[in-house]
Amino acid sequence: MTGPDLSPRGASRRGVSPGAAEVSLAAPQPERVVIDDLLRSVARGDDAAFSRLYDLIAPRVFGLARRVLRDPAQAEEMAQEVLVEVWRTAARFDSERGSGLSWVLTIAHRRSVDRVRSEQASADRMQRVGAASMHVPYDEVADQVGTRLERQQVRRCMEGLTALQREAITLAYYGGHTYREVATLLDAALPTVKTRMRDGLIRLRDCLSVEVAR
Amino acid sequence: MTRPDIHALCGAYAVDAVDDLERAAFDRHLADCEACAAEVAEYRETATRLAEGTWAVPPPRMREQVLTRAAATPQVSAADRRRSAPSPVTRWRRIAVAAAAVGVLGLGAAATSYAALEQRLDAERIAMAAAQQRRDVMTAPDAALRAGDLAGGGRVTVVVSDLEDNGVVILNDAPPPGPDRVYQFWLVPDDGGSPVSAGLLRADQNGAIELIQGVSRGVVFAVSLEPAGGSPLPSTTPLVGISLV
């Protein structure tokens, strides 16, 4: 992996002060734009574009799969499947519905979650993994360099959530649990968990200044 | 709660914290709700930022393997994008197959049988409020239908909705309970606790449509024959047990 794709990201991020958000929102996030463009080229069958896209997204797809599946060998297999699927269905990417990176990671997350759920009866998995996943910090995977700023910001925003919001989102997103499982694990009512996931995401969205370009 | 607030599911849906049936129901909803689609897109972008923290270098061999596999994989054409728009339909078909395989019928079946159930409801002249609650369950976007046969005859059908957190039980063609006996419904909780009574039929009653509340607290719905007046805990072997998960 060569450097140029990573360095502009940190530079383009705003500082830690929420007040600075307007400035950085106006600035494009180069890497994301690059990913969108590459996806469009891949959709036209451009295999050189796909190998460049690979370098940008493979660590993210693999990292997310590894986080959800908790097994490097399975994560490798899953990441391969997802990346080939990205090649196969690139024509379905629609930049009006979100960024290319989000499109890719949505596929990666859903497939990883489907895999982890089909693997074991959920009760069994909840017993084995449930308690543990509540205590796994969200920055546990630490062999990356370029995403340090990003991770710091995500961590800061996660810390801004209520405990229930944070745990519900962590268990669901990183642990692959359904909200029903989350309710059981946290001993909370179903409607409460649904609501906390949603308002937690709203708070994270605002804290991270996420927006969908239209 | 009288109306299922499907919007509340936006967050859970965006982070894949829903099961297949809920996902399908929500996909259908998204097709008609531009605001929801925009909301989900924002949550997905947010989740993407959560994923950034998991960045990890894959094994070097993976690159060559992926590029080789891709080179041998035909791509869907841009024209398929149009066809991919009604993907909820495809998804439904897929889920219907999957659901049938495990003996669970999804919303399609529940909707089809709704008219028939509605006639029964009227025939039974049950209070309007309860009827409305049952209707909410049966028309909930995530309504799922499960059924099983009773040992000794009869069939029990359960429509459950997690959105409503309620279920409707239909007991058909069961033999008369016998003197001093009644049919009693149970929910077996998922925390290993004791079964909880979910309803008691009259002494002469061998068919019913009943609302059961709080289905999310149970993993199995069961029916047993109990002494008149019912029991605090099942005193006989259950005639049927239906998994609700």
Side-chain angles (χ1 to χ4, degrees):
Chain A
M1 161 140 285
T2 47
D5 45 303
L6 289 177
S7 45
R9 290 184 63 252
S12 74
R13 289 273 180 257
R14 66 192 171 292
V16 284
S17 156
E22 304 78 13
V23 181
S24 73
L25 275 180
Q29 297 180 331
E31 194 176 41
R32 304 209 166 195
V33 174
V34 170
I35 290 175
D36 287 9
D37 288 344
L38 285 174
L39 270 172
R40 279 186 279 266
S41 299
V42 169
R44 294 190 296 268
D46 182 340
D47 49 11
F50 184 64
S51 65
R52 286 174 61 208
L53 181 67
Y54 176 96
D55 294 334
L56 290 177
I57 64 174
R60 297 174 159 113
V61 169
F62 174 70
L64 182 58
R66 194 176 81 165
R67 182 58 186 267
V68 175
L69 294 170
R70 289 154 194 281
D71 179 281
Q74 279 198 52
E76 185 182 346
E77 187 191 321
M78 172 60 60
Q80 288 207 24
E81 259 178 51
V82 169
L83 290 161
V84 174
E85 182 71 3
V86 165
W87 159 263
R88 197 179 72 82
T89 62
R92 291 188 185 144
F93 164 59
D94 178 354
S95 59
E96 290 191 1
R97 289 148 129 192
S99 70
L101 183 57
S102 176
W103 182 74
V104 168
L105 291 179
T106 296
I107 296 174
H109 189 258
R110 179 172 296 185
R111 289 206 168 198
S112 299
V113 163
D114 284 349
R115 168 78 60 90
V116 88
R117 283 186 196 155
S118 67
E119 246 173 21
Q120 303 141 292
S122 59
D124 171 40
R125 183 166 59 90
M126 282 163 71
Q127 265 195 336
R128 227 162 44 83
V129 175
S133 58
M134 290 170 65
H135 303 295
V136 177
Y138 21 92
D139 59 348
E140 163 228 51
V141 181
D143 55 4
Q144 64 273 53
V145 209
T147 56
R148 189 175 301 127
L149 280 177
E150 174 74 39
R151 285 190 298 122
Q152 283 171 355
Q153 196 192 11
V154 168
R155 174 164 44 185
R156 185 176 60 80
C157 290
M158 285 293 266
E159 281 165 1
L161 302 181
T162 68
L164 190 54
Q165 286 172 335
R166 185 169 52 244
E167 283 169 358
I169 289 173
T170 301
L171 285 168
Y173 192 71
Y174 296 126
H177 292 284
T178 64
Y179 71 87
R180 196 184 334 184
E181 291 170 340
V182 171
T184 307
L185 286 165
L186 298 179
D187 196 22
L190 274 183
T192 309
V193 169
K194 278 184 285 194
T195 308
R196 292 300 158 263
M197 277 186 191
R198 189 186 185 200
D199 55 33
L201 282 167
I202 289 172
R203 200 185 279 194
L204 273 181
R205 178 196 68 191
D206 295 344
C207 179
L208 293 164
S209 299
V210 171
E211 66 172 28
V212 178
R214 297 235 163 219
Chain B
M1 174 166 65
T2 54
R3 295 288 312 144
D5 182 9
I6 193 150
H7 295 278
L9 217 52
C10 271
Y13 173 85
V15 293
D16 297 316
V18 291
D19 63 29
D20 283 349
L21 286 170
E22 289 163 334
R23 193 185 276 174
F26 201 87
D27 280 340
R28 272 164 38 106
H29 177 65
L30 276 185
D32 299 328
C33 179
E34 189 59 34
C36 306
E39 189 176 339
V40 166
E42 285 189 348
Y43 296 159
R44 287 215 164 121
E45 293 290 344
T46 304
T48 296
R49 302 286 290 277
L50 297 182
E52 291 280 1
T54 66
W55 201 98
V57 179
R61 62 174 175 269
M62 198 175 100
R63 190 174 199 276
E64 197 53 44
Q65 288 167 347
V66 167
L67 297 184
T68 306
R69 276 176 66 182
T73 304
Q75 291 181 290
V76 301
S77 69
D80 284 353
R81 189 151 121 192
R82 286 273 168 265
R83 259 183 280 147
S84 78
S87 66
V89 177
T90 316
R91 197 179 291 281
W92 267 105
R93 201 172 295 133
R94 187 167 62 76
I95 281 165
V97 171
V102 294
V104 175
L105 297 175
L107 178 63
T112 315
S113 56
Y114 177 64
L117 292 169
E118 177 76 329
Q119 287 179 347
R120 278 179 171 279
L121 290 179
D122 290 343
E124 300 244 336
R125 293 192 196 94
I126 300 179
M128 280 304 293
Q132 182 58 49
Q133 275 187 296
R134 289 195 295 274
R135 208 171 280 125
D136 286 343
V137 170
M138 288 188 277
T139 57
D142 67 331
L145 201 137
R146 295 153 165 91
D149 293 320
L150 273 66
R155 186 161 179 80
V156 65
T157 305
V158 188
V159 182
V160 291
S161 161
D162 284 331
L163 288 170
E164 294 287 329
D165 197 15
N166 283 332
V168 172
V169 176
I170 301 118
L171 178 66
N172 278 328
D173 304 326
D180 301 324
R181 306 287 270 185
V182 291
Y183 286 103
Q184 189 164 2
F185 300 151
W186 305 95
L187 278 175
V188 185
D190 53 4
D191 57 6
S194 304
V196 178
S197 177
L200 185 66
L201 301 192
R202 293 187 311 272
D204 57 346
Q205 201 177 352
N206 61 344
I209 302 182
E210 295 288 337
L211 185 79
I212 49 172
Q213 293 180 313
V215 289
S216 64
R217 306 309 295 176
V219 286
V220 172
F221 172 83
V223 180
S224 68
L225 272 172
E226 298 297 333
S231 305
L233 285 171
S235 64
T236 63
T237 309
L239 301 167
V240 66
I242 296 172
S243 172
L244 299 179
V245 292

